[in-house]
Amino acid sequence: MKTLRKILCAALAATCVIGMTFATSCGKSADFKVGICQLVRHDALDAATEGFKFALEAELKKEGKTVEFDEQNAQGDTVMCGQIVTSFVTGKVDLIMANATPALQSAVAGTQTIPILGTSVTNYEDALFHKLTNGATGYNVSGTSDLADLEGQANMLLDLLPNVKKVGILYCSAEANSQYQADELKKHFAAKNVVAEDVKFSDSNDLQSVCNSAVGKYDAIFVPTDNTAAANGEIIDGVFRSKKIPVFAGEEGICKKCGFATLAISYRRLGEQTGVMAAKILLGNAKVGEMPIEIDTKQEKKYSKARCEELGITIPENAGYIEI
């Protein structure tokens, strides 16, 4: 009986520790409660969430404060994003971190009082249907943008593939951020006398058929920072890799799954920026509506050695490329 009690006590203690990960001890509530709504699981969004939690906890610890996270994943469902936000509002969280545009839009629709920080959002004006003033929203929303150097990405693709004349831009038609990137990329490619066309899919169900229909039409495929593509990169790889069609990726997570190269920011670092912003808000050192949207200015050239070798693509030496 004593042994059984010891086992039960140990199990209870472990459960308590797990349930209060960011509290100082079992039974003691944290100083702040933060809700995290992440649209879907894939490398980029996961890295942003982890960076956010790490930086926020570290910043609060400097002031002797603790934070408890209510982290939920919407599994790619925008309706579930709304339900998650409702649970945060009901639970009276002190701040909401919305990871990806649909999560941000749901948070904005769900509360006008709780501070909201977005991350992994490309264009806040398009996402919020709201003009920024000096980079800030003026209400309970701010955050970080994952907008990459689109002109630099287009130039990098053409530097590595100088004979390309026609590029297909593959993205989900339901993602406003991807549409924005595609429109901008077409301008940059046109300036280089390269034709770029939309290759749209509606969701993961028709992704493979859309990829198959693009085979033979384009010299290369460009996949921007698109959440649906990121979550289903293996499908893209399965179609284009066998046909030896090069895929340039808008971010590292997509590149790992299906691309030969990318010019990308660090989503981990972007999440950390968001965490620092959150700490300033929670500690009363900044007002969310007055905080300009931040970006990560450091971008890195990365490549897949295996795919480059398969495609016969030579990566220039001493040009700062990093193998992934």
Side-chain angles (χ1 to χ4, degrees), residues 41-59:
R41 293 209 176 282
H42 61 70
D43 288 353
L45 299 191
D46 290 349
T49 292
E50 289 306 310
F52 172 79
K53 292 191 297 183
F54 173 82
L56 177 52
E57 186 184 19
E59 290 297 307

Side-chain angles (χ1 to χ4, degrees), residues 70-125:
D70 182 356
E71 182 181 347
Q72 299 191 43
N73 187 281
Q75 301 174 31
D77 187 342
T78 55
V79 174
M80 189 178 293
C81 282
Q83 295 170 348
I84 290 170
V85 170
T86 297
S87 73
F88 291 161
V89 175
T90 302
K92 298 181 179 180
V93 299
D94 298 296
L95 182 142
I96 295 172
M97 193 279 266
N99 195 346
T101 298
L104 176 66
Q105 292 171 331
S106 294
V108 171
T111 178
Q112 298 178 353
T113 56
I114 299 173
I116 300 166
L117 288 177
T119 194
S120 312
V121 176
T122 303
N123 187 308
Y124 277 76
E125 291 190 340

Side-chain angles (χ1 to χ4, degrees), residues 195-215:
V195 175
E197 296 178 347
D198 293 332
V199 181
K200 300 181 184 180
F201 59 94
S202 58
D203 54 36
S204 59
N205 295 318
D206 69 338
L207 175 56
Q208 183 162 349
S209 62
V210 169
C211 288
N212 283 326
S213 68
V215 172

Side-chain angles (χ1 to χ4, degrees), residues 289-324:
E290 298 175 359
M291 302 178 80
I293 304 300
E294 296 186 9
I295 61 171
D296 182 3
T297 57
K298 183 180 179 181
Q299 304 194 46
E300 299 171 323
K301 298 177 180 178
K302 297 190 175 184
Y303 73 103
S304 165
K305 182 178 180 180
R307 291 193 184 90
C308 285
E309 289 178 348
E310 289 175 12
L311 295 164
I313 297 172
T314 301
I315 299 297
E317 294 184 10
N318 303 317
Y321 283 80
I322 302 169
E323 183 182 347
I324 57 174

